[in-house]
Amino acid sequence: DDVYSSQIAVNYLLSIGRSRIALINSQLTNAYARFREKGFLSALNKAGLQANNNWILHITEIDFDIAVSVITSLLKGADRPDAIYCVSDVYGAAAIKAIQNYGLRVPEDIAVVGFDNISLSKMVVPALTTINQPKKQLGHQACEILINLIENPSTPPQHILLDTELIVRSST
């Protein structure tokens, strides 16, 4: 549930006193990107905050170097966020790198949250707070649905939402 997961991430940032939150997203042609952005905006709205459109960035691909460059440009602005929510851990790692390269501290100056809980999230310094997806359960569920569709082609489409979990680490 990408919408709800993003709301959890943003609400956590709000709960630790951050209110100037940027979003590093991929292209909205990806369904997960649309849903995660919707959750981001919804959480800010429910908190009575207006999203800064200059801080909602869409990157063409999940690429560390491109993300570092884009986030560095964001940091050069006169008005800077105090937190960055990234729709992937690769973007989260890039945010940490860009912030540190710019001479700022994570999390003291800018907190960072990623999404996916890939191994990289534990390798960066500081370790990345992230949303954990149940990857094995996702694969298992998809396989079951596919086998069922092969055996029963007239089966109606299923919509299944799996729970995620916020993993708090040192980046916040």
Side-chain angles (χ1 to χ4, degrees):
D1 188 343
D2 288 308
V3 173
Y4 180 70
S5 298
S6 289
Q7 291 171 338
I8 294 296
V10 173
N11 286 336
Y12 172 70
L13 288 168
L14 294 168
S15 78
I16 61 168
R18 307 304 170 115
S19 60
R20 301 165 46 75
I21 306 170
L23 172 67
I24 307 302
N25 202 352
S26 60
Q27 294 297 302
L28 296 178
T29 52
N30 300 312
Y32 76 88
R34 289 191 305 275
F35 292 133
R36 291 177 191 177
E37 189 163 316
K38 180 178 178 182
F40 169 82
L41 294 170
S42 172
L44 288 180
N45 186 44
K46 286 179 185 172
L49 299 171
Q50 181 74 30
N52 183 333
N53 290 329
N54 295 324
W55 294 348
I56 299 175
L57 306 177
H58 299 98
I59 301 175
T60 55
E61 55 189 284
I62 305 290
D63 181 279
F64 180 84
D65 293 325
I66 293 171
V68 169
S69 177
V70 167
I71 296 163
T72 299
S73 295
L74 170 68
L75 298 174
K76 289 179 179 177
D79 198 20
R80 212 174 15 239
D82 63 9
I84 300 176
Y85 170 52
C86 303
V87 301
S88 79
D89 287 345
V90 172
Y91 290 164
I96 289 171
K97 179 77 167 174
I99 292 164
Q100 291 171 340
N101 285 349
Y102 202 71
L104 299 170
R105 299 166 301 153
V106 176
E108 294 85 356
D109 299 314
I110 303 175
V112 180
V113 175
F115 201 111
D116 291 326
N117 195 30
I118 61 174
S119 295
L120 175 66
S121 65
K122 292 178 250 181
M123 296 177 200
V124 295
V125 178
L128 182 62
T129 294
T130 187
I131 297 290
N132 181 52
Q133 293 192 78
K135 296 173 216 44
K136 288 181 183 174
Q137 190 179 357
L138 279 168
H140 178 76
Q141 203 67 55
C143 189
E144 280 189 4
I145 291 170
L146 180 60
I147 290 169
N148 188 38
L149 278 172
I150 291 169
E151 293 174 350
N152 306 299
S154 62
T155 300
Q158 293 180 325
H159 184 76
I160 300 170
L161 292 177
L162 301 177
D163 291 331
T164 58
E165 175 187 11
L166 177 69
I167 308 292
V168 177
R169 295 194 181 107
S170 306
S171 70
T172 57

